[in-house]
Every structure is written in C-alpha cells, then in structure tokens.
Amino acid sequence: MQKPKITEYLDGDIKVYDEVFTPPELNELVTEVASWSYLYGEVDDVDLPPTGMSTGDYTGTKTFNSLWQFLEEYVPVVHKSVLKRSHANIFAPRELANYHVDDESDNAWTFMFYANNSWDINQGGETKFITNLRHEYNTTGTEYPEIIAIPPIPGRMIIFKSNILHTATPFKDFHRFTPTIKFVPFDPVIHTEGPLRLAMKETYPWRKDK
C-alpha cells in the first residue's frame, strides 16, 4: 500500500484516491472480490426493481482489512464513524442501474473500491453523480441535473457524502465489481451494541491485545 494521489470534487464532498496498490496487491484483491458469492439484487429505491447482484457483509476478508487499513491511514473524515454496512456490488456487462442515495444524512459517507485490473475509456463503468439536486428524485421547472462521472481507474477508491444522488454505469464487455463500506456518525442512543468504529481499535473484534 502506497500514499495515495488525492483529487477532490464538490468542495471535498467527493474524494478520489489513486495509485494506492501495487499491481500484485491489486490483483490479489481483485481475485478475491471476484470469488465471493453474489445474490440478486440490490434495491436502490422501494419503487424500483432490484438491479445487479450483491454480497452480504465481507468483514474478515483480506479486501475488507486492506480497505479498512487505508481508511485508518488516509481518510480522517470518517474516523470514529460507525460502520453501517459493508457489501460488494456486481453489474453484468451493459446492465443498467438506478440513481439513488445511500443515506439522507449530510454526515453519512460511502466509500467504494473499483476492483478491476484494467480499464479503457470505451468500456464505461463510471460512477455518475448529480451535483446540484442532491437527494431530490423528481424535479420540475428549469433546474436540470448537472452530472460528473468518475471513471473506474484500476484500484481507484472514492469516498462521497451518502446523500449525493449517484448511479453505477456498466462496463461494455466485463463485470463491474465494487466493494463498498458505508459510515454514519456515532449516536450513543442508537449505537448501544458495541458498534465498530473506524480508528478506534478498542471496538475492533479482531484486535490483538498486547
């Protein structure tokens, strides 16, 4: 793991991390992610059908441990936040997804890893973000969506506020794998069962006391 190159969008509401893994490290993670079991499908909106396929929780895997270590070292914005969910999505070639938000809170964050070894600009696979409407699904009048797209550069990771409307786009010829970790702020009233909190090792079930 190497120090990342960081690019920011929307005043830091979207951060992109590149050049983190060496080719052998990336290939090991990509291979593991492709080996997991996936079930149909992920529901982005209760009024829309499921899309893609998804794993359950993948804590305890090498991929989770690598991403968690990266978050500890380089992503302080979510330090002390609570792990809401970990899962990985897969989209088949040319399979379309829906726009959605992951959480309506302005303090929730979504972290995502592009688990692919190669990419070509004509393959697609970008994550698209609507930058001006946030979590408004239906718009009227003259305020039209403005969209930016983050391409799936191999090994790239991104973190973004979970209330930004976004969608996955498929690759033209390959399956698209994206392990994801979602965070919410710690709330002592809600989180009473010993939640897993980033950068607080005393909450880690795998910690080793020395």
Side-chain angles (χ1 to χ4, degrees):
M1 186 179 296
Q2 306 167 121
K3 185 176 180 179
K5 174 184 176 183
I6 304 174
T7 308
E8 296 189 358
Y9 302 89
L10 297 182
D11 296 324
D13 287 355
I14 301 172
K15 294 184 176 71
V16 177
Y17 304 91
D18 288 305
E19 303 174 11
V20 174
F21 302 112
T22 65
E25 288 172 337
L26 177 59
N27 185 64
E28 186 175 6
L29 299 181
V30 168
T31 300
E32 180 182 57
V33 172
S35 74
W36 293 340
S37 296
Y38 292 81
L39 298 173
Y40 176 79
E42 190 74 4
V43 178
D44 294 329
D45 188 305
V46 294
D47 296 323
L48 297 172
T51 59
M53 301 180 75
S54 180
T55 66
D57 174 81
Y58 65 95
T59 56
T61 66
K62 181 176 181 59
T63 298
F64 181 87
N65 292 340
S66 296
L67 299 183
W68 196 262
Q69 180 184 346
F70 175 80
L71 286 157
E72 283 186 324
E73 294 186 21
Y74 298 112
V75 193
V77 71
V78 285
H79 285 184
K80 299 187 178 180
S81 294
V82 173
L83 172 66
K84 177 183 178 182
R85 183 187 179 200
S86 73
H87 67 107
N89 287 330
I90 176 176
F91 286 94
R94 304 174 189 254
E95 180 180 12
L96 299 178
N98 300 307
Y99 274 100
H100 63 284
V101 297
D102 294 331
D103 192 299
E104 294 191 358
S105 169
D106 196 48
N107 295 312
W109 293 86
T110 298
F111 178 78
M112 190 165 65
F113 165 55
Y114 292 111
N116 47 280
N117 278 320
S118 62
W119 180 72
D120 179 86
I121 195 169
N122 292 311
Q123 276 296 329
E126 300 88 357
T127 304
K128 296 194 296 186
F129 295 90
I130 295 181
T131 62
N132 61 325
L133 300 180
R134 292 296 168 138
H135 50 79
E136 298 177 22
Y137 287 83
N138 299 304
T139 62
T140 58
T142 58
E143 189 174 11
Y144 302 118
E146 298 172 3
I147 298 173
I148 62 171
I150 305 298
I153 304 302
R156 169 171 280 180
M157 292 175 281
I158 64 174
I159 191 166
F160 54 91
K161 285 197 171 183
S162 300
N163 63 358
I164 302 176
L165 268 170
H166 62 282
T167 188
T169 63
F171 288 130
K172 184 170 65 174
D173 300 310
F174 307 105
H175 285 75
R176 181 186 189 270
F177 294 91
T178 51
T180 301
I181 302 176
K182 298 175 181 177
F183 292 96
V184 293
F186 175 68
D187 185 331
V189 176
I190 299 173
H191 303 120
T192 59
E193 300 298 324
L196 180 58
R197 299 178 66 186
L198 184 67
M200 296 188 67
K201 289 184 170 59
E202 62 270 24
T203 73
Y204 298 178
W206 61 84
R207 73 185 191 278
K208 294 180 180 179
D209 296 322
K210 294 183 179 180

